[in-house]
Amino acid sequence: MASSNNITFDPDSGVPFGANFSIYTGGDFKQTFNIKNTSSSAFNLSGYSGSSQMRKSTSIGSTTIAAGTFTVGITSALDGTLQISMGSTDTRNLPEGRYMYDVLVSSGATNYNLVNGNVYVYQGISSAP
């Protein structure tokens, strides 16, 4: 499943954009984010790296581990485009349920939480005859 979201991010506010989506176990997952600043220009991601994961809870205690880690790729830095993905091998092992996720980018001492929201993981209910 691949889809795309156009988002506006205000680095001065420090508030991430909210976006929810679904993952189906055993399927490849890709989500593209086209990031614009408040003047509708591309948010330049040159020199940034990204990370993203999903958890059952926002608590980062020793008993709360990441349920899944997304691969983050900056597909066009000048256009402000990045993609999070998870392959079918990784989605196959996800338990069904609701999770929270975030997408972080950083360059040196500059860190931004660009996007966060909920992910619902669905497992199939039927099998092939």
Side-chain angles (χ1 to χ4, degrees), residues 13-53:
S13 74
V15 177
F17 184 85
N20 301 324
F21 50 82
S22 301
I23 293 177
Y24 293 88
T25 58
D28 289 330
F29 171 80
K30 292 180 183 173
Q31 178 72 46
T32 300
F33 297 101
N34 303 303
I35 304 158
K36 306 289 184 190
N37 61 29
T38 55
S39 62
S40 297
S41 299
F43 185 81
N44 189 341
L45 293 168
S46 296
Y48 283 86
S49 61
S51 64
S52 180
Q53 60 181 234

Side-chain angles (χ1 to χ4, degrees), residues 10-97:
D10 181 1
D12 295 327
S13 74
V15 177
F17 184 85
N20 301 324
F21 50 82
S22 301
I23 293 177
Y24 293 88
T25 58
D28 289 330
F29 171 80
K30 292 180 183 173
Q31 178 72 46
T32 300
F33 297 101
N34 303 303
I35 304 158
K36 306 289 184 190
N37 61 29
T38 55
S39 62
S40 297
S41 299
F43 185 81
N44 189 341
L45 293 168
S46 296
Y48 283 86
S49 61
S51 64
S52 180
Q53 60 181 234
M54 53 189 260
R55 296 177 181 269
K56 274 292 201 182
S57 167
T58 57
S59 171
I60 304 179
S62 60
T63 60
T64 305
I65 59 170
T69 301
F70 295 105
T71 299
V72 177
I74 296 175
T75 56
S76 179
L78 292 177
D79 292 330
T81 304
L82 65 81
Q83 184 179 77
I84 63 172
S85 62
M86 189 179 292
S88 61
T89 303
D90 294 322
T91 65
R92 185 174 296 118
N93 298 319
L94 293 173
E96 185 173 48

Side-chain angles (χ1 to χ4, degrees), residues 95-117:
E96 185 173 48
R98 186 180 68 84
Y99 299 84
M100 291 163 269
Y101 80 99
D102 59 12
V103 178
L104 309 175
V105 294
S106 60
S107 178
T110 303
N111 299 294
Y112 295 120
N113 183 350
L114 289 179
V115 184
N116 68 16

